[in-house]
Amino acid sequence: MREGMRARVRAFARRLRRLERRELDAFRRWLEHTGNLLHLSVLVFVPLLLAVVTWLANVTAAISFLLFPPLASGTYTLFADPEGTYSTPRKFVGGMTVGALCGWLAIALTTAIGLPAGTISASGAAVGVFLTGACTWALDLEEPTAFSTALLVLVTGNAQFAYVLGIVVSSSFVAAAFVVWRRHFYEQRAHYLYGTTSGDDHVLVPMDDGDETVARFAASIAGAHDAGKVVLFTVVDEAAAARAGGESAENDASVEVVDAQATTDGGADDLAAAAERAADEAADRLESLAVDLESTYNVPCEVVVAADGGLSAGLVLQTARRQNCDLIVAPYAEDDRGALSSFIRGLFESEIDVIAFRPNEVRRRWRRGLVAVRGAGDTARAMLDFALRVTEVGRTVSVCTCIDSESQRRQSENTLADLVDAFSGRFETHVATASVESYLARAAPQYDVCFVGSSTDRSAASRFVSPPTFRKLRDLETDVAIVHRGRHR
């Protein structure tokens, strides 16, 4: 009785842990979107910083509560748009300080012409705003909050100096906190939040005859990280392998033979020998390539040979999990109707990241890359990360998106800016008013590889109305990498 209760409690605890992992993964994916990250930062950091300033205002007379409206507005501007026109410490602190000084000067001028001290007059407000506009323009400190500080100083009575000092102290504190946040978190968000930048190091490559370029592409991706590894995987003939159950071998070159279909039939010795020869030949062929990959791309390379009825998505996924691989680079394949083959579709239905690679010619290196995106989601970020890994260091990576009308250009430009800003590298962005297929047909031949999304994140209705982009790119005169982001669990 007690044992049964304990088993149920343990099972319930395991379900809770799985639920917690799924929720954390969903939250991380939500946080990967720059807009969501900025909204959350505003909700967290703006209240905390203002709370600290409020505490300072309670313990010192140098900070007046009249500075809170412009300070709150300016702090929101910093964290909501960290790459915006006004989101620099110089403009933030300088603008608020110049505004307060201009308001103080306006008080002095209106007092000098005979208006009583402390009186809020239309002329004093006009002079303060005029001086603020002129000074911020001349000093390139155009800051909306400067006008707030210029007007609020008019109601401080005889405490103008304390008000200006409070502006300098509080705005400098907020600006310092903003610089730390932007430099050590926001600009490094690709490292902290985006899965591919810290993962997709162990790459499995299902191999067949003529797939050497695919293996080199995978090695370029894995070799970009110190923890990278390539696993070349192939399957021997089923007729020989089915009778070689239990036979496995490992040579000095890190070759593993996996028995994927055991049989109880003892079989003849010659059948077992034939199966072993088939495995040895496959291992020798891949081992020669593995040695070349290790020396060329400076990445460890292993070889796995399985005995089964043929290369299947299930067997590849099983091997990827067993070898602890978080990315599969497979040769692109179509069925008789021109759609994705069942093998590729099976890989795309898994939790593992997949790249279906279609080489246009034999290559050893990829110098220039083009990334075609629809937005700034996790698939777009993964494609950009892979492009940075594959292309030569110092080369510019091109990122493009296509729009239907010019009214969408500004929003698309901002989307591309948010996307590339999270990565370190050289980029150029293109927004084209054209269909994706026509633009890529014209632009892609200038590049060595073109990255497109698998469209597995689109709804079935969307894919029915508008077929995935890669189905329209069969004749593209460049290598094509179709990227699928697995649903990690």
Side-chain angles (χ1 to χ4, degrees):
M1 181 71 176
R2 291 181 179 178
E3 290 298 328
M5 180 63 69
R6 291 174 183 170
R8 286 193 292 271
V9 170
R10 287 194 294 268
F12 180 71
R14 286 194 297 270
R15 285 196 294 270
L16 287 180
R17 286 194 294 270
R18 286 196 298 269
L19 179 62
E20 181 181 4
R21 286 195 296 270
R22 287 196 296 269
E23 289 177 343
L24 288 175
D25 183 68
F27 176 72
R28 183 185 62 79
R29 288 181 177 274
W30 177 85
L31 202 59
E32 286 179 357
H33 292 268
T34 301
N36 296 334
L37 175 64
L38 294 179
H39 283 302
L40 185 62
S41 296
V42 167
L43 292 177
V44 173
F45 291 103
V46 174
L48 286 178
L49 290 174
L50 291 179
V52 174
V53 175
T54 303
W55 177 79
L56 292 175
N58 289 329
V59 299
T60 178
I63 297 180
S64 169
F65 283 100
L66 290 175
L67 63 84
F68 278 86
L71 186 65
S73 174
T75 304
Y76 173 84
T77 300
L78 287 178
F79 285 92
D81 188 14
E83 303 295 337
T85 304
Y86 307 116
S87 296
T88 65
R90 174 181 172 273
K91 289 189 176 183
F92 177 70
V93 178
M96 293 184 65
T97 303
V98 167
L101 290 173
C102 289
W104 189 4
L105 180 59
I107 293 177
L109 292 176
T110 54
T111 302
I113 62 176
L115 292 176
T119 299
I120 304 174
S121 66
S123 58
V127 170
V129 171
F130 171 78
L131 291 175
T132 301
C135 291
T136 54
W137 182 21
L139 298 173
D140 192 24
L141 293 174
E142 293 181 86
E143 174 67 44
T145 54
F147 295 96
S148 299
T149 58
L151 292 174
L152 287 172
V153 77
L154 300 177
V155 297
T156 57
N158 295 321
Q160 292 90 2
F161 175 75
Y163 182 77
V164 174
L165 180 60
I167 286 287
V168 174
V169 173
S170 59
S171 61
S172 298
F173 169 75
V174 171
F178 168 73
V179 169
V180 172
W181 171 83
R182 185 174 66 179
R183 181 175 301 168
H184 296 287
F185 179 73
Y186 180 74
E187 292 180 351
Q188 303 296 325
R189 63 190 184 277
H191 174 72
Y192 294 119
L193 298 177
Y194 302 162
T196 58
T197 59
S198 58
D200 290 329
D201 295 327
H202 295 179
V203 186
L204 180 76
V205 187
M207 293 292 297
D208 202 351
D209 292 336
D211 292 337
E212 180 176 324
T213 303
V214 179
R216 295 188 180 280
F217 183 79
S220 297
I221 292 177
H225 286 182
D226 293 337
K229 181 183 75 171
V230 175
V231 178
L232 303 180
F233 174 65
T234 192
V235 179
V236 299
D237 180 70
E238 179 185 19
R243 294 173 174 81
E247 293 291 331
S248 63
E250 184 175 351
N251 61 20
D252 295 336
S254 181
V255 177
E256 179 184 351
V257 180
V258 180
D259 178 22
Q261 183 176 337
T263 178
T264 57
D265 182 11
D269 292 340
D270 56 344
L271 292 178
E276 188 173 353
R277 284 195 301 271
D280 289 341
E281 291 174 1
D284 290 342
R285 176 173 58 87
L286 293 186
E287 180 54 31
S288 176
L289 177 59
V291 172
D292 187 14
L293 296 180
E294 288 181 348
S295 60
T296 303
Y297 304 96
N298 192 28
V299 60
C301 191
E302 299 177 2
V303 172
V304 176
V305 180
D308 197 74
L311 196 63
S312 65
L315 182 57
V316 170
L317 293 172
Q318 178 184 357
T319 306
R321 298 183 186 107
R322 183 180 299 164
Q323 298 294 324
N324 195 29
C325 293
D326 47 10
L327 174 65
I328 298 172
V329 177
Y332 176 79
E334 296 180 349
D335 59 19
D336 295 337
R337 298 171 298 174
L340 284 178
S341 66
S342 59
F343 173 70
I344 298 296
R345 290 200 306 270
L347 297 180
F348 281 177
E349 292 172 357
S350 74
E351 79 284 2
I352 302 176
D353 292 349
V354 178
I355 297 179
F357 186 69
R358 192 210 69 182
N360 184 59
E361 59 182 78
V362 177
R363 299 182 194 269
R364 299 176 67 91
R365 297 288 185 181
W366 290 261
R367 303 180 65 188
R368 301 195 63 200
L370 174 65
V371 181
V373 303
R374 291 187 294 115
D378 56 347
T379 300
R381 289 188 291 270
M383 290 192 292
L384 195 55
D385 177 53
F386 292 140
L388 288 172
R389 295 203 215 178
V390 168
T391 54
E392 291 184 353
V393 177
R395 288 279 180 175
T396 299
V397 173
S398 299
V399 186
C400 71
T401 190
C402 294
I403 56 178
D404 297 324
S405 64
E406 286 298 318
S407 62
Q408 301 172 317
R409 179 172 296 277
R410 180 63 59 85
Q411 180 180 356
S412 297
E413 289 174 346
N414 292 336
T415 298
L416 294 184
D418 287 340
L419 177 63
V420 303
D421 181 64
F423 294 87
S424 298
R426 300 178 59 184
F427 301 99
E428 60 181 13
T429 59
H430 305 273
V431 178
T433 308
S435 64
V436 178
E437 56 269 26
S438 62
Y439 175 78
L440 292 182
R442 182 175 68 255
Q446 306 172 34
Y447 300 88
D448 296 329
V449 59
C450 175
F451 291 84
V452 297
S454 65
S455 298
T456 49
D457 56 344
R458 292 167 53 186
S459 66
S462 173
R463 291 194 296 272
F464 176 78
V465 174
S466 178
T469 302
F470 61 82
R471 293 185 60 181
K472 309 170 186 177
L473 305 178
R474 295 188 185 91
D475 300 325
L476 209 60
E477 296 179 3
T478 188
D479 295 353
V480 177
I482 303 170
V483 178
H484 161 77
R485 283 286 278 147
R487 297 302 160 201
H488 299 277
R489 289 186 284 269

